[in-house]
Amino acid sequence: MLKREVYKDEVVWNRSKFEKVPRINTRRRKMRDESEWIRVQHPELAIVAAELWDRVQACFDHFGRKPSEGRHRGLLSRALTSPYLFSGLLKCGECGGNIVIGTGGGTHVHKKYVCANYFNPRHLRE
């Protein structure tokens, strides 16, 4: 949500195109140059103020940089560097354990929030 322009009132069209792959009869998505994108303002779609959205984007840019590019050295908290919005913030309502991103394993690779103690119960470690 914090990375999509539509939440600050801007809809972007024409980001990609599909090109046919020779001899396979399939199409592959290819990103267009940003100069070809069509940006349309829709103030009625805004759920985040544009100034706040811009500040969040600046934070993402800062934390995405390498220390040699101006970011301070040292460890950052998981909540600041994780691509998942609630990382490091949620606690389980039943046991108080941390809520983490988990996948089902096997063929079930959909990511979801789960209690860490569900995977590592304390009574099995004692």
Side-chain angles (χ1 to χ4, degrees):
M1 178 171 146
L2 297 176
K3 294 184 180 185
R4 296 187 61 200
E5 294 94 350
V6 72
Y7 294 111
K8 73 164 188 172
D9 83 354
E10 187 174 73
V11 177
V12 182
W13 298 95
N14 205 35
R15 287 186 200 230
S16 62
K17 61 183 174 182
F18 289 90
E19 294 181 345
K20 189 172 180 181
V21 178
R23 299 185 311 265
I24 301 178
N25 199 25
T26 60
R27 300 181 318 146
R28 290 217 175 116
R29 182 178 180 191
K30 188 172 184 181
M31 295 303 293
R32 294 181 190 264
D33 188 45
E34 196 167 338
S35 63
E36 297 179 48
W37 294 3
I38 300 169
R39 296 178 180 270
V40 180
Q41 300 296 322
H42 285 282
E44 67 276 5
L45 297 177
I47 61 171
V48 176
E51 301 82 29
L52 176 61
W53 194 87
D54 292 336
R55 286 194 343 231
V56 169
Q57 299 313 304
C59 287
F60 283 149
D61 291 342
H62 175 73
F63 290 121
R65 282 190 242 146
K66 298 176 183 170
S68 61
E69 297 172 341
R71 184 173 61 79
H72 298 291
R73 292 188 180 272
L75 297 175
L76 297 171
S77 87
R78 180 76 170 173
L80 294 176
T81 59
S82 175
Y84 304 105
L85 183 62
F86 298 117
S87 293
L89 300 174
L90 299 178
K91 297 286 185 184
C92 177
E94 290 191 25
C95 69
N98 291 328
I99 299 293
V100 297
I101 294 293
T103 58
T107 59
H108 303 285
V109 293
H110 303 291
K111 296 176 177 85
K112 55 192 164 283
Y113 287 101
V114 296
C115 176
N117 291 333
Y118 175 78
F119 291 111
N120 302 313
R122 293 181 188 174
H123 67 282
L124 296 177
R125 286 186 268 155
E126 295 174 350

PDB file of all heavy atoms in Angstrom, residues 5-6 9-17 31-42:
ATOM      1  N   GLU A   5       1.178   4.455  -6.099  1.00  0.00           N
ATOM      2  CA  GLU A   5       0.820   5.858  -6.282  1.00  0.00           C
ATOM      3  C   GLU A   5      -0.675   6.120  -6.181  1.00  0.00           C
ATOM      4  O   GLU A   5      -1.094   7.221  -5.874  1.00  0.00           O
ATOM      5  CB  GLU A   5       1.320   6.365  -7.640  1.00  0.00           C
ATOM      6  CG  GLU A   5       2.802   6.425  -7.790  1.00  0.00           C
ATOM      7  CD  GLU A   5       3.379   5.176  -8.414  1.00  0.00           C
ATOM      8  OE1 GLU A   5       2.647   4.176  -8.559  1.00  0.00           O
ATOM      9  OE2 GLU A   5       4.569   5.184  -8.747  1.00  0.00           O
ATOM     10  N   VAL A   6      -1.496   5.097  -6.447  1.00  0.00           N
ATOM     11  CA  VAL A   6      -2.941   5.296  -6.460  1.00  0.00           C
ATOM     12  C   VAL A   6      -3.441   5.769  -5.089  1.00  0.00           C
ATOM     13  O   VAL A   6      -4.443   6.480  -5.006  1.00  0.00           O
ATOM     14  CB  VAL A   6      -3.673   4.017  -6.919  1.00  0.00           C
ATOM     15  CG1 VAL A   6      -3.624   2.935  -5.872  1.00  0.00           C
ATOM     16  CG2 VAL A   6      -5.103   4.327  -7.306  1.00  0.00           C
ATOM     17  N   ASP A   9      -3.431   9.589  -4.910  1.00  0.00           N
ATOM     18  CA  ASP A   9      -4.334  10.202  -5.889  1.00  0.00           C
ATOM     19  C   ASP A   9      -3.827  10.127  -7.320  1.00  0.00           C
ATOM     20  O   ASP A   9      -4.351  10.777  -8.194  1.00  0.00           O
ATOM     21  CB  ASP A   9      -4.691  11.650  -5.542  1.00  0.00           C
ATOM     22  CG  ASP A   9      -3.668  12.697  -5.967  1.00  0.00           C
ATOM     23  OD1 ASP A   9      -2.582  12.359  -6.452  1.00  0.00           O
ATOM     24  OD2 ASP A   9      -3.977  13.883  -5.802  1.00  0.00           O
ATOM     25  N   GLU A  10      -2.835   9.304  -7.600  1.00  0.00           N
ATOM     26  CA  GLU A  10      -2.267   9.249  -8.946  1.00  0.00           C
ATOM     27  C   GLU A  10      -2.423   7.846  -9.533  1.00  0.00           C
ATOM     28  O   GLU A  10      -2.027   6.862  -8.923  1.00  0.00           O
ATOM     29  CB  GLU A  10      -0.781   9.611  -8.872  1.00  0.00           C
ATOM     30  CG  GLU A  10      -0.111   9.743 -10.199  1.00  0.00           C
ATOM     31  CD  GLU A  10       1.304  10.238 -10.046  1.00  0.00           C
ATOM     32  OE1 GLU A  10       2.154   9.452  -9.600  1.00  0.00           O
ATOM     33  OE2 GLU A  10       1.544  11.412 -10.345  1.00  0.00           O
ATOM     34  N   VAL A  11      -2.996   7.763 -10.725  1.00  0.00           N
ATOM     35  CA  VAL A  11      -3.130   6.493 -11.432  1.00  0.00           C
ATOM     36  C   VAL A  11      -2.104   6.498 -12.558  1.00  0.00           C
ATOM     37  O   VAL A  11      -1.990   7.465 -13.303  1.00  0.00           O
ATOM     38  CB  VAL A  11      -4.557   6.306 -11.996  1.00  0.00           C
ATOM     39  CG1 VAL A  11      -4.660   5.014 -12.779  1.00  0.00           C
ATOM     40  CG2 VAL A  11      -5.577   6.349 -10.872  1.00  0.00           C
ATOM     41  N   VAL A  12      -1.352   5.394 -12.676  1.00  0.00           N
ATOM     42  CA  VAL A  12      -0.297   5.302 -13.688  1.00  0.00           C
ATOM     43  C   VAL A  12      -0.682   4.222 -14.688  1.00  0.00           C
ATOM     44  O   VAL A  12      -0.948   3.080 -14.326  1.00  0.00           O
ATOM     45  CB  VAL A  12       1.068   4.968 -13.043  1.00  0.00           C
ATOM     46  CG1 VAL A  12       2.151   4.921 -14.105  1.00  0.00           C
ATOM     47  CG2 VAL A  12       1.409   5.986 -11.963  1.00  0.00           C
ATOM     48  N   TRP A  13      -0.704   4.614 -15.959  1.00  0.00           N
ATOM     49  CA  TRP A  13      -1.036   3.704 -17.049  1.00  0.00           C
ATOM     50  C   TRP A  13       0.194   3.489 -17.921  1.00  0.00           C
ATOM     51  O   TRP A  13       1.117   4.292 -17.912  1.00  0.00           O
ATOM     52  CB  TRP A  13      -2.147   4.292 -17.918  1.00  0.00           C
ATOM     53  CG  TRP A  13      -3.435   4.508 -17.199  1.00  0.00           C
ATOM     54  CD1 TRP A  13      -3.856   5.656 -16.609  1.00  0.00           C
ATOM     55  CD2 TRP A  13      -4.466   3.546 -16.979  1.00  0.00           C
ATOM     56  NE1 TRP A  13      -5.087   5.478 -16.040  1.00  0.00           N
ATOM     57  CE2 TRP A  13      -5.493   4.180 -16.259  1.00  0.00           C
ATOM     58  CE3 TRP A  13      -4.633   2.221 -17.332  1.00  0.00           C
ATOM     59  CZ2 TRP A  13      -6.652   3.530 -15.882  1.00  0.00           C
ATOM     60  CZ3 TRP A  13      -5.793   1.575 -16.964  1.00  0.00           C
ATOM     61  CH2 TRP A  13      -6.789   2.234 -16.241  1.00  0.00           C
ATOM     62  N   ASN A  14       0.169   2.427 -18.715  1.00  0.00           N
ATOM     63  CA  ASN A  14       1.175   2.187 -19.746  1.00  0.00           C
ATOM     64  C   ASN A  14       2.554   1.869 -19.165  1.00  0.00           C
ATOM     65  O   ASN A  14       3.574   2.175 -19.761  1.00  0.00           O
ATOM     66  CB  ASN A  14       1.256   3.405 -20.688  1.00  0.00           C
ATOM     67  CG  ASN A  14       1.767   3.036 -22.056  1.00  0.00           C
ATOM     68  OD1 ASN A  14       1.486   1.965 -22.563  1.00  0.00           O
ATOM     69  ND2 ASN A  14       2.521   3.930 -22.660  1.00  0.00           N
ATOM     70  N   ARG A  15       2.606   1.200 -18.006  1.00  0.00           N
ATOM     71  CA  ARG A  15       3.900   0.849 -17.397  1.00  0.00           C
ATOM     72  C   ARG A  15       4.598  -0.281 -18.139  1.00  0.00           C
ATOM     73  O   ARG A  15       5.810  -0.357 -18.143  1.00  0.00           O
ATOM     74  CB  ARG A  15       3.700   0.393 -15.957  1.00  0.00           C
ATOM     75  CG  ARG A  15       3.376   1.471 -15.008  1.00  0.00           C
ATOM     76  CD  ARG A  15       3.353   0.884 -13.619  1.00  0.00           C
ATOM     77  NE  ARG A  15       2.616   1.717 -12.723  1.00  0.00           N
ATOM     78  CZ  ARG A  15       3.068   2.112 -11.548  1.00  0.00           C
ATOM     79  NH1 ARG A  15       4.235   1.737 -11.131  1.00  0.00           N
ATOM     80  NH2 ARG A  15       2.336   2.883 -10.788  1.00  0.00           N
ATOM     81  N   SER A  16       3.815  -1.177 -18.727  1.00  0.00           N
ATOM     82  CA  SER A  16       4.434  -2.339 -19.359  1.00  0.00           C
ATOM     83  C   SER A  16       3.746  -2.665 -20.680  1.00  0.00           C
ATOM     84  O   SER A  16       2.691  -2.128 -20.996  1.00  0.00           O
ATOM     85  CB  SER A  16       4.364  -3.545 -18.422  1.00  0.00           C
ATOM     86  OG  SER A  16       3.019  -3.872 -18.157  1.00  0.00           O
ATOM     87  N   LYS A  17       4.378  -3.540 -21.411  1.00  0.00           N
ATOM     88  CA  LYS A  17       3.796  -4.031 -22.653  1.00  0.00           C
ATOM     89  C   LYS A  17       4.070  -5.530 -22.719  1.00  0.00           C
ATOM     90  O   LYS A  17       4.962  -6.052 -22.042  1.00  0.00           O
ATOM     91  CB  LYS A  17       4.376  -3.315 -23.862  1.00  0.00           C
ATOM     92  CG  LYS A  17       5.876  -3.492 -24.024  1.00  0.00           C
ATOM     93  CD  LYS A  17       6.371  -2.692 -25.195  1.00  0.00           C
ATOM     94  CE  LYS A  17       7.899  -2.745 -25.261  1.00  0.00           C
ATOM     95  NZ  LYS A  17       8.422  -1.938 -26.352  1.00  0.00           N
ATOM     96  N   MET A  31       8.742  -4.149 -19.072  1.00  0.00           N
ATOM     97  CA  MET A  31       8.515  -2.809 -18.531  1.00  0.00           C
ATOM     98  C   MET A  31       8.898  -1.751 -19.555  1.00  0.00           C
ATOM     99  O   MET A  31       9.906  -1.872 -20.244  1.00  0.00           O
ATOM    100  CB  MET A  31       9.314  -2.610 -17.247  1.00  0.00           C
ATOM    101  CG  MET A  31       8.862  -3.514 -16.110  1.00  0.00           C
ATOM    102  SD  MET A  31       7.134  -3.361 -15.673  1.00  0.00           S
ATOM    103  CE  MET A  31       7.093  -1.712 -15.011  1.00  0.00           C
ATOM    104  N   ARG A  32       8.081  -0.716 -19.634  1.00  0.00           N
ATOM    105  CA  ARG A  32       8.367   0.415 -20.510  1.00  0.00           C
ATOM    106  C   ARG A  32       9.247   1.422 -19.775  1.00  0.00           C
ATOM    107  O   ARG A  32       9.311   1.428 -18.547  1.00  0.00           O
ATOM    108  CB  ARG A  32       7.076   1.117 -20.924  1.00  0.00           C
ATOM    109  CG  ARG A  32       6.169   0.287 -21.782  1.00  0.00           C
ATOM    110  CD  ARG A  32       4.938   1.103 -22.140  1.00  0.00           C
ATOM    111  NE  ARG A  32       3.918   0.293 -22.758  1.00  0.00           N
ATOM    112  CZ  ARG A  32       3.753   0.182 -24.059  1.00  0.00           C
ATOM    113  NH1 ARG A  32       4.555   0.814 -24.884  1.00  0.00           N
ATOM    114  NH2 ARG A  32       2.789  -0.583 -24.538  1.00  0.00           N
ATOM    115  N   ASP A  33       9.863   2.290 -20.516  1.00  0.00           N
ATOM    116  CA  ASP A  33      10.638   3.377 -19.928  1.00  0.00           C
ATOM    117  C   ASP A  33       9.688   4.314 -19.183  1.00  0.00           C
ATOM    118  O   ASP A  33       8.560   4.529 -19.615  1.00  0.00           O
ATOM    119  CB  ASP A  33      11.384   4.129 -21.029  1.00  0.00           C
ATOM    120  CG  ASP A  33      12.344   5.146 -20.475  1.00  0.00           C
ATOM    121  OD1 ASP A  33      13.074   4.822 -19.519  1.00  0.00           O
ATOM    122  OD2 ASP A  33      12.357   6.274 -20.991  1.00  0.00           O
ATOM    123  N   GLU A  34      10.128   4.863 -18.078  1.00  0.00           N
ATOM    124  CA  GLU A  34       9.254   5.712 -17.258  1.00  0.00           C
ATOM    125  C   GLU A  34       8.755   6.938 -18.031  1.00  0.00           C
ATOM    126  O   GLU A  34       7.690   7.477 -17.730  1.00  0.00           O
ATOM    127  CB  GLU A  34       9.981   6.137 -15.989  1.00  0.00           C
ATOM    128  CG  GLU A  34       9.061   6.679 -14.945  1.00  0.00           C
ATOM    129  CD  GLU A  34       9.703   6.827 -13.578  1.00  0.00           C
ATOM    130  OE1 GLU A  34      10.704   6.158 -13.307  1.00  0.00           O
ATOM    131  OE2 GLU A  34       9.160   7.629 -12.792  1.00  0.00           O
ATOM    132  N   SER A  35       9.480   7.372 -19.038  1.00  0.00           N
ATOM    133  CA  SER A  35       9.035   8.517 -19.835  1.00  0.00           C
ATOM    134  C   SER A  35       7.779   8.190 -20.649  1.00  0.00           C
ATOM    135  O   SER A  35       7.067   9.096 -21.075  1.00  0.00           O
ATOM    136  CB  SER A  35      10.160   8.973 -20.767  1.00  0.00           C
ATOM    137  OG  SER A  35      10.472   7.942 -21.689  1.00  0.00           O
ATOM    138  N   GLU A  36       7.479   6.913 -20.871  1.00  0.00           N
ATOM    139  CA  GLU A  36       6.294   6.497 -21.623  1.00  0.00           C
ATOM    140  C   GLU A  36       5.067   6.317 -20.740  1.00  0.00           C
ATOM    141  O   GLU A  36       3.970   6.116 -21.244  1.00  0.00           O
ATOM    142  CB  GLU A  36       6.574   5.194 -22.361  1.00  0.00           C
ATOM    143  CG  GLU A  36       7.667   5.291 -23.400  1.00  0.00           C
ATOM    144  CD  GLU A  36       7.904   3.960 -24.083  1.00  0.00           C
ATOM    145  OE1 GLU A  36       6.912   3.319 -24.508  1.00  0.00           O
ATOM    146  OE2 GLU A  36       9.067   3.556 -24.191  1.00  0.00           O
ATOM    147  N   TRP A  37       5.241   6.337 -19.429  1.00  0.00           N
ATOM    148  CA  TRP A  37       4.117   6.140 -18.515  1.00  0.00           C
ATOM    149  C   TRP A  37       3.147   7.310 -18.609  1.00  0.00           C
ATOM    150  O   TRP A  37       3.538   8.455 -18.819  1.00  0.00           O
ATOM    151  CB  TRP A  37       4.591   6.021 -17.085  1.00  0.00           C
ATOM    152  CG  TRP A  37       5.417   4.795 -16.807  1.00  0.00           C
ATOM    153  CD1 TRP A  37       5.818   3.844 -17.693  1.00  0.00           C
ATOM    154  CD2 TRP A  37       5.963   4.421 -15.545  1.00  0.00           C
ATOM    155  NE1 TRP A  37       6.573   2.897 -17.058  1.00  0.00           N
ATOM    156  CE2 TRP A  37       6.671   3.219 -15.748  1.00  0.00           C
ATOM    157  CE3 TRP A  37       5.921   4.979 -14.283  1.00  0.00           C
ATOM    158  CZ2 TRP A  37       7.327   2.577 -14.709  1.00  0.00           C
ATOM    159  CZ3 TRP A  37       6.579   4.329 -13.256  1.00  0.00           C
ATOM    160  CH2 TRP A  37       7.263   3.136 -13.473  1.00  0.00           C
ATOM    161  N   ILE A  38       1.876   7.028 -18.418  1.00  0.00           N
ATOM    162  CA  ILE A  38       0.840   8.064 -18.425  1.00  0.00           C
ATOM    163  C   ILE A  38       0.325   8.199 -16.994  1.00  0.00           C
ATOM    164  O   ILE A  38      -0.193   7.248 -16.420  1.00  0.00           O
ATOM    165  CB  ILE A  38      -0.308   7.686 -19.381  1.00  0.00           C
ATOM    166  CG1 ILE A  38       0.233   7.539 -20.800  1.00  0.00           C
ATOM    167  CG2 ILE A  38      -1.418   8.717 -19.311  1.00  0.00           C
ATOM    168  CD1 ILE A  38      -0.753   6.921 -21.763  1.00  0.00           C
ATOM    169  N   ARG A  39       0.490   9.386 -16.428  1.00  0.00           N
ATOM    170  CA  ARG A  39       0.081   9.648 -15.043  1.00  0.00           C
ATOM    171  C   ARG A  39      -1.156  10.546 -15.052  1.00  0.00           C
ATOM    172  O   ARG A  39      -1.147  11.599 -15.678  1.00  0.00           O
ATOM    173  CB  ARG A  39       1.205  10.305 -14.264  1.00  0.00           C
ATOM    174  CG  ARG A  39       2.423   9.418 -14.132  1.00  0.00           C
ATOM    175  CD  ARG A  39       3.545  10.119 -13.383  1.00  0.00           C
ATOM    176  NE  ARG A  39       4.703   9.277 -13.263  1.00  0.00           N
ATOM    177  CZ  ARG A  39       4.930   8.438 -12.265  1.00  0.00           C
ATOM    178  NH1 ARG A  39       4.058   8.346 -11.282  1.00  0.00           N
ATOM    179  NH2 ARG A  39       6.010   7.701 -12.227  1.00  0.00           N
ATOM    180  N   VAL A  40      -2.213  10.104 -14.343  1.00  0.00           N
ATOM    181  CA  VAL A  40      -3.463  10.852 -14.278  1.00  0.00           C
ATOM    182  C   VAL A  40      -3.814  11.072 -12.807  1.00  0.00           C
ATOM    183  O   VAL A  40      -3.794  10.136 -12.010  1.00  0.00           O
ATOM    184  CB  VAL A  40      -4.602  10.075 -14.985  1.00  0.00           C
ATOM    185  CG1 VAL A  40      -5.894  10.861 -14.924  1.00  0.00           C
ATOM    186  CG2 VAL A  40      -4.219   9.748 -16.417  1.00  0.00           C
ATOM    187  N   GLN A  41      -4.116  12.313 -12.453  1.00  0.00           N
ATOM    188  CA  GLN A  41      -4.477  12.651 -11.075  1.00  0.00           C
ATOM    189  C   GLN A  41      -5.963  12.373 -10.839  1.00  0.00           C
ATOM    190  O   GLN A  41      -6.806  12.752 -11.642  1.00  0.00           O
ATOM    191  CB  GLN A  41      -4.194  14.135 -10.807  1.00  0.00           C
ATOM    192  CG  GLN A  41      -2.742  14.525 -10.996  1.00  0.00           C
ATOM    193  CD  GLN A  41      -1.821  13.847 -10.013  1.00  0.00           C
ATOM    194  OE1 GLN A  41      -2.152  13.667  -8.853  1.00  0.00           O
ATOM    195  NE2 GLN A  41      -0.656  13.434 -10.490  1.00  0.00           N
ATOM    196  N   HIS A  42      -6.258  11.686  -9.731  1.00  0.00           N
ATOM    197  CA  HIS A  42      -7.630  11.410  -9.310  1.00  0.00           C
ATOM    198  C   HIS A  42      -7.731  11.696  -7.813  1.00  0.00           C
ATOM    199  O   HIS A  42      -7.581  10.798  -6.984  1.00  0.00           O
ATOM    200  CB  HIS A  42      -8.023   9.951  -9.575  1.00  0.00           C
ATOM    201  CG  HIS A  42      -8.295   9.642 -10.998  1.00  0.00           C
ATOM    202  ND1 HIS A  42      -9.466   9.991 -11.612  1.00  0.00           N
ATOM    203  CD2 HIS A  42      -7.539   9.034 -11.930  1.00  0.00           C
ATOM    204  CE1 HIS A  42      -9.430   9.596 -12.869  1.00  0.00           C
ATOM    205  NE2 HIS A  42      -8.264   9.016 -13.088  1.00  0.00           N
TER     206      HIS A  42
END
